[in-house]
Amino acid sequence: MATDRLDRIALVLSAGAIGFCFGEWLAPAMKDQRIQWETLITGMLAIAAAAWSVRAAMRVDNEQERRHREIYRLTLRADRLRVQRAQHPASVWLRKVHAEGNHWLERYESERVKGVAPSEEVMDGLLIEADKFVNSVRDVSLADAADLFDPLMTQRYRLLMARAGKIEQAASYLRAHRLVVTLPGNQNELPKFTAGLVVVFNAILGEADVFADDLTKLAFEYTTDSPRARVRH
């Protein structure tokens, strides 16, 4: 068996040597044809290389597009969650503050027209709504979504934040003095301590209601994947 294997190897080598010699013998006569074949083969290899390069580039582009769509989907999902957390309960509480704050302001004005000092009920109502407003505007979820606000909404948000500080100061001022001024003989001093809170509330309740509407619209845009939401990404 070993001898047969050696015979086959020798036969292959002999055939290869004969073919090589035959090719060398025909080389002068086939010179032009060989050049043409070499040109053709080179061209075919160049086309194959170009096709492979284009296919590789398309695979890279498709992968980048897939990654871009995935990043867009994840980013939009994260932003949608941020907006939803900011919209609820902030918009609900701001609307309540707008409605109930106006109610207590009307009660305050009615008592003022009658020439009487603000009642305990009115003061308690104003202070409760003041706390609601401050807590709603300073909510962490609202601040986390602030980068998604449009310029007008951002301006309104900054205004509410600034007014929250003033309302907090006015409420603290009223709390610090209400026990003293409600004593017999001091009630005439009460309106001036309540007036500061009333003035700030009058200036901000309308903006609070509009901002609540802005939050609702923004949440709707991200829920429906509107063109405005897509542009931001």
Side-chain angles (χ1 to χ4, degrees):
M1 183 175 293
T3 303
D4 292 339
R5 186 180 294 112
L6 291 175
D7 289 343
R8 285 196 295 271
I9 293 174
L11 182 61
V12 171
L13 292 176
S14 298
I18 292 172
F20 175 77
C21 294
F22 186 71
E24 287 296 316
W25 177 63
L26 291 176
M30 299 295 293
K31 181 178 180 181
D32 294 338
Q33 287 81 355
R34 187 173 71 250
I35 293 173
Q36 293 176 2
W37 278 105
E38 290 175 351
T39 303
L40 178 61
I41 292 172
T42 302
M44 292 176 64
L45 290 175
I47 293 173
W52 180 85
S53 299
V54 171
R55 187 175 179 83
M58 290 177 63
R59 283 200 300 270
V60 172
D61 289 343
N62 291 337
E63 181 64 17
Q64 290 179 343
E65 179 65 21
R66 185 191 67 79
R67 291 180 180 178
H68 174 75
R69 288 196 300 269
E70 183 66 13
I71 293 173
Y72 167 80
R73 185 184 67 81
L74 294 175
T75 303
L76 184 60
R77 180 176 178 272
D79 288 347
R80 181 180 293 125
L81 291 174
R82 284 198 292 153
V83 169
Q84 289 174 343
R85 285 194 296 266
Q87 188 265 335
H88 186 78
S91 62
V92 175
W93 283 110
L94 288 174
R95 287 195 179 95
K96 286 184 177 180
V97 169
H98 175 260
E100 296 174 15
N102 277 319
H103 166 73
W104 294 116
L105 288 174
E106 290 173 0
R107 288 280 303 274
Y108 172 84
E109 183 63 20
S110 175
E111 292 178 355
R112 188 190 67 81
V113 171
K114 293 177 181 178
V116 299
S119 64
E120 291 288 323
E121 185 181 9
V122 170
M123 284 190 294
D124 286 339
L126 288 172
L127 289 171
I128 289 172
E129 297 312 310
D131 291 340
K132 284 182 184 178
F133 175 79
V134 172
N135 292 333
S136 298
V137 173
R138 291 180 178 174
D139 186 81
V140 175
S141 298
L142 196 60
D144 185 53
D147 61 307
L148 302 176
F149 300 163
D150 61 35
L152 184 58
M153 193 173 175
T154 299
Q155 182 180 1
R156 187 170 288 118
Y157 175 61
R158 290 174 179 171
L159 175 63
L160 292 177
M161 287 289 288
R163 293 294 173 83
K166 293 183 178 180
I167 287 179
E168 192 173 41
Q169 291 176 359
S172 298
Y173 189 68
L174 176 58
R175 284 190 176 99
H177 294 84
R178 75 180 280 185
L179 291 178
V180 176
V181 298
T182 52
L183 295 175
N186 294 333
Q187 291 190 352
N188 291 335
E189 300 294 322
L190 185 57
K192 72 177 183 181
F193 294 112
T194 312
L197 183 58
V198 169
V199 169
V200 181
F201 252 128
N202 269 320
I204 204 60
L205 288 181
E207 291 291 332
D209 192 48
V210 173
F211 187 73
D213 289 339
D214 289 342
L215 282 174
T216 301
K217 291 176 183 177
L218 186 66
F220 175 78
E221 289 171 357
Y222 273 87
T223 302
T224 58
D225 193 13
S226 69
R228 180 180 173 187
R230 290 196 296 269
V231 166
R232 295 182 179 183
H233 299 83

Short mmCIF file of all heavy atoms in Angstrom, two decimals, residues 24-74:
data_model
loop_
_atom_site.label_atom_id
_atom_site.label_comp_id
_atom_site.label_asym_id
_atom_site.label_seq_id
_atom_site.Cartn_x
_atom_site.Cartn_y
_atom_site.Cartn_z
N GLU A 24 5.65 26.09 -20.74
CA GLU A 24 6.80 26.91 -21.11
C GLU A 24 7.08 26.83 -22.60
O GLU A 24 7.50 27.81 -23.22
CB GLU A 24 8.03 26.45 -20.31
CG GLU A 24 7.99 26.84 -18.84
CD GLU A 24 8.02 28.34 -18.67
OE1 GLU A 24 8.82 29.01 -19.36
OE2 GLU A 24 7.22 28.88 -17.86
N TRP A 25 6.85 25.66 -23.20
CA TRP A 25 7.09 25.50 -24.64
C TRP A 25 6.08 26.31 -25.46
O TRP A 25 6.41 26.88 -26.48
CB TRP A 25 6.98 24.00 -24.98
CG TRP A 25 7.13 23.73 -26.46
CD1 TRP A 25 8.22 23.95 -27.23
CD2 TRP A 25 6.11 23.20 -27.32
NE1 TRP A 25 7.98 23.59 -28.53
CE2 TRP A 25 6.67 23.12 -28.61
CE3 TRP A 25 4.80 22.77 -27.11
CZ2 TRP A 25 5.95 22.63 -29.70
CZ3 TRP A 25 4.12 22.28 -28.21
CH2 TRP A 25 4.67 22.22 -29.49
N LEU A 26 4.83 26.42 -24.95
CA LEU A 26 3.81 27.17 -25.68
C LEU A 26 3.79 28.66 -25.32
O LEU A 26 3.09 29.44 -25.95
CB LEU A 26 2.41 26.61 -25.38
CG LEU A 26 2.10 25.21 -25.95
CD1 LEU A 26 0.72 24.77 -25.48
CD2 LEU A 26 2.19 25.21 -27.47
N ALA A 27 4.55 29.02 -24.34
CA ALA A 27 4.48 30.41 -23.87
C ALA A 27 4.75 31.44 -24.94
O ALA A 27 4.03 32.43 -25.05
CB ALA A 27 5.46 30.59 -22.69
N PRO A 28 5.81 31.26 -25.78
CA PRO A 28 6.04 32.31 -26.81
C PRO A 28 4.86 32.47 -27.75
O PRO A 28 4.52 33.58 -28.14
CB PRO A 28 7.28 31.79 -27.53
CG PRO A 28 7.97 30.94 -26.52
CD PRO A 28 6.88 30.26 -25.77
N ALA A 29 4.22 31.36 -28.12
CA ALA A 29 3.11 31.46 -29.08
C ALA A 29 1.85 32.01 -28.45
O ALA A 29 0.99 32.57 -29.13
CB ALA A 29 2.84 30.07 -29.68
N MET A 30 1.70 31.86 -27.12
CA MET A 30 0.48 32.29 -26.44
C MET A 30 0.68 33.58 -25.64
O MET A 30 -0.10 33.90 -24.76
CB MET A 30 0.03 31.18 -25.48
CG MET A 30 -0.29 29.87 -26.17
SD MET A 30 -1.72 29.98 -27.27
CE MET A 30 -3.00 30.25 -26.07
N LYS A 31 1.75 34.29 -26.00
CA LYS A 31 2.09 35.47 -25.21
C LYS A 31 0.94 36.48 -25.18
O LYS A 31 0.53 36.94 -24.12
CB LYS A 31 3.35 36.12 -25.77
CG LYS A 31 3.79 37.35 -24.99
CD LYS A 31 5.07 37.89 -25.57
CE LYS A 31 5.51 39.14 -24.78
NZ LYS A 31 6.76 39.70 -25.35
N ASP A 32 0.42 36.85 -26.38
CA ASP A 32 -0.66 37.86 -26.43
C ASP A 32 -1.92 37.37 -25.73
O ASP A 32 -2.58 38.11 -25.00
CB ASP A 32 -0.97 38.20 -27.89
CG ASP A 32 0.21 38.89 -28.57
OD1 ASP A 32 1.04 39.47 -27.84
OD2 ASP A 32 0.28 38.84 -29.80
N GLN A 33 -2.26 36.07 -25.98
CA GLN A 33 -3.45 35.53 -25.34
C GLN A 33 -3.31 35.52 -23.81
O GLN A 33 -4.26 35.77 -23.09
CB GLN A 33 -3.72 34.10 -25.85
CG GLN A 33 -4.24 34.04 -27.28
CD GLN A 33 -3.11 34.18 -28.32
OE1 GLN A 33 -1.95 34.40 -27.94
NE2 GLN A 33 -3.45 34.06 -29.60
N ARG A 34 -2.06 35.20 -23.35
CA ARG A 34 -1.85 35.16 -21.92
C ARG A 34 -2.04 36.54 -21.31
O ARG A 34 -2.63 36.70 -20.24
CB ARG A 34 -0.43 34.65 -21.62
CG ARG A 34 -0.23 34.43 -20.11
CD ARG A 34 1.10 33.77 -19.78
NE ARG A 34 2.20 34.68 -20.01
CZ ARG A 34 3.09 34.55 -20.99
NH1 ARG A 34 3.00 33.53 -21.84
NH2 ARG A 34 4.08 35.42 -21.14
N ILE A 35 -1.59 37.58 -22.01
CA ILE A 35 -1.76 38.94 -21.52
C ILE A 35 -3.24 39.30 -21.43
O ILE A 35 -3.70 39.91 -20.47
CB ILE A 35 -1.01 39.93 -22.42
CG1 ILE A 35 0.50 39.69 -22.28
CG2 ILE A 35 -1.35 41.37 -22.06
CD1 ILE A 35 1.33 40.51 -23.25
N GLN A 36 -4.01 38.88 -22.48
CA GLN A 36 -5.44 39.17 -22.47
C GLN A 36 -6.14 38.46 -21.31
O GLN A 36 -6.99 39.04 -20.64
CB GLN A 36 -6.06 38.73 -23.80
CG GLN A 36 -5.58 39.58 -24.99
CD GLN A 36 -6.12 39.06 -26.31
OE1 GLN A 36 -6.87 38.10 -26.35
NE2 GLN A 36 -5.72 39.71 -27.41
N TRP A 37 -5.75 37.19 -21.11
CA TRP A 37 -6.36 36.46 -20.00
C TRP A 37 -5.99 37.08 -18.66
O TRP A 37 -6.82 37.16 -17.75
CB TRP A 37 -5.93 34.99 -20.05
CG TRP A 37 -6.73 34.17 -21.01
CD1 TRP A 37 -6.36 33.72 -22.21
CD2 TRP A 37 -8.07 33.74 -20.81
NE1 TRP A 37 -7.35 33.00 -22.83
CE2 TRP A 37 -8.45 33.01 -21.97
CE3 TRP A 37 -9.01 33.89 -19.79
CZ2 TRP A 37 -9.69 32.44 -22.12
CZ3 TRP A 37 -10.26 33.29 -19.95
CH2 TRP A 37 -10.59 32.58 -21.11
N GLU A 38 -4.75 37.48 -18.54
CA GLU A 38 -4.33 38.11 -17.28
C GLU A 38 -5.11 39.41 -17.04
O GLU A 38 -5.52 39.71 -15.91
CB GLU A 38 -2.83 38.40 -17.31
CG GLU A 38 -1.97 37.15 -17.23
CD GLU A 38 -0.49 37.46 -17.37
OE1 GLU A 38 -0.19 38.63 -17.70
OE2 GLU A 38 0.33 36.57 -17.16
N THR A 39 -5.34 40.20 -18.11
CA THR A 39 -6.12 41.44 -17.99
C THR A 39 -7.56 41.15 -17.57
O THR A 39 -8.13 41.81 -16.71
CB THR A 39 -6.11 42.21 -19.32
OG1 THR A 39 -4.76 42.48 -19.69
CG2 THR A 39 -6.87 43.53 -19.19
N LEU A 40 -8.12 40.09 -18.23
CA LEU A 40 -9.50 39.73 -17.90
C LEU A 40 -9.62 39.26 -16.45
O LEU A 40 -10.53 39.67 -15.74
CB LEU A 40 -9.97 38.62 -18.84
CG LEU A 40 -11.40 38.09 -18.61
CD1 LEU A 40 -12.40 39.21 -18.79
CD2 LEU A 40 -11.69 36.94 -19.57
N ILE A 41 -8.68 38.42 -16.04
CA ILE A 41 -8.72 37.91 -14.67
C ILE A 41 -8.54 39.05 -13.68
O ILE A 41 -9.23 39.13 -12.65
CB ILE A 41 -7.63 36.84 -14.48
CG1 ILE A 41 -7.99 35.59 -15.30
CG2 ILE A 41 -7.50 36.47 -13.00
CD1 ILE A 41 -6.89 34.56 -15.34
N THR A 42 -7.61 39.98 -14.00
CA THR A 42 -7.40 41.13 -13.12
C THR A 42 -8.66 41.97 -13.00
O THR A 42 -9.05 42.42 -11.91
CB THR A 42 -6.25 42.00 -13.65
OG1 THR A 42 -5.06 41.22 -13.73
CG2 THR A 42 -5.99 43.19 -12.74
N GLY A 43 -9.34 42.19 -14.12
CA GLY A 43 -10.59 42.96 -14.11
C GLY A 43 -11.67 42.29 -13.29
O GLY A 43 -12.39 42.93 -12.52
N MET A 44 -11.77 40.95 -13.46
CA MET A 44 -12.77 40.21 -12.71
C MET A 44 -12.49 40.27 -11.21
O MET A 44 -13.40 40.44 -10.40
CB MET A 44 -12.80 38.75 -13.19
CG MET A 44 -13.33 38.59 -14.61
SD MET A 44 -13.25 36.89 -15.20
CE MET A 44 -14.38 36.11 -14.06
N LEU A 45 -11.20 40.14 -10.86
CA LEU A 45 -10.84 40.24 -9.45
C LEU A 45 -11.13 41.63 -8.89
O LEU A 45 -11.58 41.78 -7.74
CB LEU A 45 -9.35 39.90 -9.27
CG LEU A 45 -8.99 38.43 -9.50
CD1 LEU A 45 -7.47 38.26 -9.41
CD2 LEU A 45 -9.68 37.52 -8.49
N ALA A 46 -10.89 42.68 -9.71
CA ALA A 46 -11.18 44.04 -9.27
C ALA A 46 -12.67 44.24 -9.05
O ALA A 46 -13.10 44.87 -8.06
CB ALA A 46 -10.66 45.04 -10.31
N ILE A 47 -13.50 43.68 -9.97
CA ILE A 47 -14.95 43.79 -9.81
C ILE A 47 -15.40 43.05 -8.56
O ILE A 47 -16.24 43.54 -7.79
CB ILE A 47 -15.66 43.24 -11.06
CG1 ILE A 47 -15.37 44.15 -12.28
CG2 ILE A 47 -17.17 43.13 -10.82
CD1 ILE A 47 -15.89 43.60 -13.58
N ALA A 48 -14.84 41.85 -8.35
CA ALA A 48 -15.20 41.08 -7.16
C ALA A 48 -14.81 41.82 -5.89
O ALA A 48 -15.57 41.86 -4.91
CB ALA A 48 -14.51 39.71 -7.21
N ALA A 49 -13.63 42.45 -5.90
CA ALA A 49 -13.19 43.20 -4.72
C ALA A 49 -14.10 44.41 -4.47
O ALA A 49 -14.45 44.72 -3.32
CB ALA A 49 -11.74 43.66 -4.90
N ALA A 50 -14.50 45.10 -5.56
CA ALA A 50 -15.39 46.24 -5.42
C ALA A 50 -16.75 45.81 -4.88
O ALA A 50 -17.33 46.46 -4.00
CB ALA A 50 -15.56 46.95 -6.76
N ALA A 51 -17.25 44.68 -5.42
CA ALA A 51 -18.54 44.18 -4.94
C ALA A 51 -18.46 43.80 -3.47
O ALA A 51 -19.38 44.08 -2.68
CB ALA A 51 -18.97 42.97 -5.77
N TRP A 52 -17.37 43.18 -3.07
CA TRP A 52 -17.20 42.81 -1.66
C TRP A 52 -17.13 44.05 -0.78
O TRP A 52 -17.71 44.09 0.30
CB TRP A 52 -15.91 41.99 -1.51
CG TRP A 52 -15.67 41.57 -0.09
CD1 TRP A 52 -16.17 40.48 0.55
CD2 TRP A 52 -14.87 42.27 0.87
NE1 TRP A 52 -15.74 40.43 1.85
CE2 TRP A 52 -14.94 41.52 2.08
CE3 TRP A 52 -14.11 43.42 0.84
CZ2 TRP A 52 -14.27 41.91 3.23
CZ3 TRP A 52 -13.44 43.81 1.98
CH2 TRP A 52 -13.52 43.07 3.15
N SER A 53 -16.42 45.10 -1.26
CA SER A 53 -16.31 46.35 -0.50
C SER A 53 -17.67 47.01 -0.33
O SER A 53 -18.02 47.50 0.75
CB SER A 53 -15.34 47.32 -1.18
OG SER A 53 -14.04 46.75 -1.27
N VAL A 54 -18.46 47.05 -1.43
CA VAL A 54 -19.79 47.66 -1.36
C VAL A 54 -20.68 46.88 -0.40
O VAL A 54 -21.41 47.47 0.42
CB VAL A 54 -20.43 47.71 -2.77
CG1 VAL A 54 -21.90 48.12 -2.68
CG2 VAL A 54 -19.66 48.68 -3.66
N ARG A 55 -20.60 45.55 -0.50
CA ARG A 55 -21.42 44.72 0.39
C ARG A 55 -21.02 44.93 1.86
O ARG A 55 -21.88 45.03 2.74
CB ARG A 55 -21.26 43.26 0.00
CG ARG A 55 -22.20 42.32 0.76
CD ARG A 55 -22.08 40.90 0.25
NE ARG A 55 -22.96 40.00 0.97
CZ ARG A 55 -24.23 39.83 0.70
NH1 ARG A 55 -24.81 40.53 -0.27
NH2 ARG A 55 -24.97 39.00 1.41
N ALA A 56 -19.71 45.04 2.11
CA ALA A 56 -19.24 45.27 3.47
C ALA A 56 -19.70 46.63 3.98
O ALA A 56 -20.12 46.78 5.14
CB ALA A 56 -17.72 45.16 3.53
N ALA A 57 -19.62 47.66 3.09
CA ALA A 57 -20.06 49.00 3.48
C ALA A 57 -21.56 49.01 3.78
O ALA A 57 -22.02 49.67 4.72
CB ALA A 57 -19.74 50.00 2.38
N MET A 58 -22.34 48.26 2.97
CA MET A 58 -23.78 48.20 3.21
C MET A 58 -24.09 47.51 4.54
O MET A 58 -24.99 47.93 5.26
CB MET A 58 -24.47 47.45 2.05
CG MET A 58 -24.47 48.21 0.74
SD MET A 58 -25.21 47.27 -0.61
CE MET A 58 -26.88 47.09 -0.02
N ARG A 59 -23.31 46.47 4.85
CA ARG A 59 -23.51 45.81 6.14
C ARG A 59 -23.22 46.76 7.29
O ARG A 59 -23.94 46.78 8.29
CB ARG A 59 -22.61 44.57 6.23
CG ARG A 59 -23.13 43.36 5.45
CD ARG A 59 -22.49 42.08 5.96
NE ARG A 59 -21.04 42.10 5.83
CZ ARG A 59 -20.36 41.68 4.78
NH1 ARG A 59 -21.02 41.18 3.73
NH2 ARG A 59 -19.04 41.72 4.74
N VAL A 60 -22.15 47.56 7.16
CA VAL A 60 -21.81 48.53 8.20
C VAL A 60 -22.91 49.58 8.33
O VAL A 60 -23.33 49.94 9.45
CB VAL A 60 -20.46 49.20 7.90
CG1 VAL A 60 -20.20 50.35 8.86
CG2 VAL A 60 -19.32 48.19 7.99
N ASP A 61 -23.40 50.08 7.18
CA ASP A 61 -24.47 51.09 7.21
C ASP A 61 -25.74 50.53 7.85
O ASP A 61 -26.41 51.20 8.64
CB ASP A 61 -24.78 51.57 5.79
CG ASP A 61 -23.66 52.43 5.23
OD1 ASP A 61 -22.83 52.91 6.02
OD2 ASP A 61 -23.62 52.61 4.00
N ASN A 62 -26.08 49.29 7.48
CA ASN A 62 -27.28 48.67 8.05
C ASN A 62 -27.15 48.48 9.56
O ASN A 62 -28.11 48.69 10.31
CB ASN A 62 -27.55 47.32 7.38
CG ASN A 62 -27.99 47.47 5.94
OD1 ASN A 62 -28.50 48.52 5.54
ND2 ASN A 62 -27.79 46.45 5.14
N GLU A 63 -25.95 48.10 10.00
CA GLU A 63 -25.73 47.92 11.43
C GLU A 63 -25.81 49.25 12.17
O GLU A 63 -26.39 49.34 13.26
CB GLU A 63 -24.36 47.28 11.66
CG GLU A 63 -24.02 47.03 13.12
CD GLU A 63 -24.94 46.04 13.80
OE1 GLU A 63 -25.65 45.30 13.09
OE2 GLU A 63 -24.98 46.02 15.05
N GLN A 64 -25.23 50.30 11.56
CA GLN A 64 -25.30 51.63 12.17
C GLN A 64 -26.74 52.12 12.23
O GLN A 64 -27.16 52.72 13.24
CB GLN A 64 -24.43 52.61 11.40
CG GLN A 64 -22.94 52.37 11.55
CD GLN A 64 -22.11 53.36 10.76
OE1 GLN A 64 -22.62 54.02 9.85
NE2 GLN A 64 -20.83 53.46 11.08
N GLU A 65 -27.49 51.87 11.17
CA GLU A 65 -28.90 52.27 11.14
C GLU A 65 -29.69 51.52 12.21
O GLU A 65 -30.54 52.09 12.90
CB GLU A 65 -29.49 52.01 9.76
CG GLU A 65 -30.98 52.36 9.62
CD GLU A 65 -31.24 53.84 9.77
OE1 GLU A 65 -30.30 54.64 9.58
OE2 GLU A 65 -32.40 54.20 10.07
N ARG A 66 -29.40 50.23 12.35
CA ARG A 66 -30.09 49.44 13.37
C ARG A 66 -29.77 49.97 14.77
O ARG A 66 -30.66 50.11 15.61
CB ARG A 66 -29.67 47.98 13.27
CG ARG A 66 -30.43 47.04 14.21
CD ARG A 66 -29.79 45.67 14.26
NE ARG A 66 -28.48 45.72 14.88
CZ ARG A 66 -28.28 45.77 16.19
NH1 ARG A 66 -29.32 45.80 17.03
NH2 ARG A 66 -27.06 45.81 16.69
N ARG A 67 -28.49 50.27 15.00
CA ARG A 67 -28.10 50.82 16.30
C ARG A 67 -28.74 52.18 16.55
O ARG A 67 -29.16 52.49 17.66
CB ARG A 67 -26.58 50.92 16.39
CG ARG A 67 -25.87 49.57 16.46
CD ARG A 67 -24.38 49.74 16.55
NE ARG A 67 -23.69 48.45 16.61
CZ ARG A 67 -22.37 48.31 16.65
NH1 ARG A 67 -21.60 49.40 16.64
NH2 ARG A 67 -21.83 47.11 16.72
N HIS A 68 -28.79 53.00 15.48
CA HIS A 68 -29.41 54.32 15.62
C HIS A 68 -30.88 54.19 15.99
O HIS A 68 -31.38 54.90 16.88
CB HIS A 68 -29.27 55.10 14.31
CG HIS A 68 -29.99 56.42 14.32
ND1 HIS A 68 -29.54 57.51 15.00
CD2 HIS A 68 -31.16 56.80 13.72
CE1 HIS A 68 -30.38 58.51 14.83
NE2 HIS A 68 -31.37 58.11 14.07
N ARG A 69 -31.59 53.27 15.32
CA ARG A 69 -33.01 53.07 15.63
C ARG A 69 -33.19 52.56 17.06
O ARG A 69 -34.11 52.96 17.76
CB ARG A 69 -33.64 52.08 14.64
CG ARG A 69 -33.84 52.63 13.24
CD ARG A 69 -34.81 51.75 12.46
NE ARG A 69 -34.32 50.39 12.35
CZ ARG A 69 -33.57 49.93 11.36
NH1 ARG A 69 -33.22 50.73 10.37
NH2 ARG A 69 -33.18 48.67 11.33
N GLU A 70 -32.28 51.69 17.49
CA GLU A 70 -32.38 51.15 18.84
C GLU A 70 -32.12 52.25 19.89
O GLU A 70 -32.84 52.35 20.89
CB GLU A 70 -31.38 50.02 19.02
CG GLU A 70 -31.43 49.32 20.38
CD GLU A 70 -32.72 48.57 20.61
OE1 GLU A 70 -33.49 48.37 19.65
OE2 GLU A 70 -32.97 48.18 21.77
N ILE A 71 -31.08 53.06 19.63
CA ILE A 71 -30.78 54.18 20.55
C ILE A 71 -31.94 55.16 20.58
O ILE A 71 -32.33 55.66 21.64
CB ILE A 71 -29.47 54.88 20.14
CG1 ILE A 71 -28.28 53.93 20.36
CG2 ILE A 71 -29.27 56.17 20.92
CD1 ILE A 71 -26.97 54.48 19.82
N TYR A 72 -32.49 55.47 19.39
CA TYR A 72 -33.64 56.39 19.31
C TYR A 72 -34.82 55.83 20.11
O TYR A 72 -35.46 56.54 20.88
CB TYR A 72 -34.04 56.58 17.85
CG TYR A 72 -35.39 57.23 17.67
CD1 TYR A 72 -35.54 58.60 17.78
CD2 TYR A 72 -36.53 56.46 17.39
CE1 TYR A 72 -36.78 59.20 17.63
CE2 TYR A 72 -37.76 57.04 17.24
CZ TYR A 72 -37.88 58.42 17.35
OH TYR A 72 -39.10 58.99 17.21
N ARG A 73 -35.07 54.51 19.95
CA ARG A 73 -36.20 53.90 20.65
C ARG A 73 -36.01 53.96 22.17
O ARG A 73 -36.93 54.32 22.91
CB ARG A 73 -36.36 52.44 20.21
CG ARG A 73 -37.58 51.74 20.78
CD ARG A 73 -37.60 50.28 20.36
NE ARG A 73 -36.51 49.54 20.98
CZ ARG A 73 -36.54 49.07 22.22
NH1 ARG A 73 -37.60 49.27 22.98
NH2 ARG A 73 -35.51 48.40 22.70
N LEU A 74 -34.80 53.63 22.61
CA LEU A 74 -34.53 53.64 24.05
C LEU A 74 -34.57 55.06 24.62
O LEU A 74 -35.09 55.30 25.71
CB LEU A 74 -33.18 52.99 24.33
CG LEU A 74 -33.08 51.49 24.02
CD1 LEU A 74 -31.65 51.01 24.23
CD2 LEU A 74 -34.04 50.69 24.89
#
